[in-house]
Amino acid sequence: QVQLVESGGGLVQPGGSLRLSCAASGISFSDYTMDWYRQAPGKQRESIAFISSVGNTHYADSVKGRFTCSRDNAKNTVYLQMNSLRPEDTAVYYCSAGIGPRAYWGQGTQVTVSS
């Protein structure tokens, strides 16, 4: 059974930082591209970052320079370091594991940026 479990969300003030984690089980983690998505209230889910199986990363313009995606294949975990957070970063953040036509999703973790 495949499971992706996100953690690390919470309430943070503007300008603050959070690190999200996504722990995977039931897959050959190192073979998968790991994606981070977010969905703000009333908006569509958007892709914000991914890290390939070989460690290549890509970021949406909205988070480039502020967010960093990394992975630890020994721990089957992908991370999203989020710095300089803004109120518009408030959303539910999801991780996804993809390879070919297959994709698995976590349940999401809430990030709220507010003073």
Side-chain angles (χ1 to χ4, degrees):
Q1 181 181 0
V2 178
Q3 278 195 314
L4 301 177
V5 180
E6 299 98 335
S7 61
L11 174 64
V12 63
Q13 291 187 341
S17 298
L18 283 175
R19 189 177 81 153
L20 305 183
S21 301
C22 172
S25 59
I27 59 173
S28 181
F29 180 79
S30 61
D31 292 335
Y32 281 70
T33 291
M34 299 301 296
D35 293 78
W36 285 98
Y37 289 76
R38 68 185 181 187
Q39 187 165 19
K43 295 188 176 181
Q44 289 189 329
R45 189 174 297 189
E46 63 169 333
S47 174
I48 57 171
F50 72 77
I51 183 165
S52 73
S53 60
V54 295
N56 297 322
T57 55
H58 178 80
Y59 302 94
D61 288 343
S62 57
V63 307
K64 196 175 295 182
R66 300 187 298 123
F67 290 11
T68 302
C69 187
S70 61
R71 66 192 297 159
D72 185 339
N73 289 338
K75 295 183 178 180
N76 287 359
T77 300
V78 63
Y79 304 97
L80 186 68
Q81 177 67 44
M82 306 187 295
N83 299 328
S84 302
L85 283 161
R86 306 166 179 168
E88 54 264 39
D89 294 318
T90 295
V92 178
Y93 284 71
Y94 300 88
C95 69
S96 174
I99 184 169
R102 280 176 288 171
Y104 304 101
W105 291 85
Q107 81 291 346
T109 185
Q110 175 70 46
V111 172
T112 302
V113 185
S114 175
S115 55

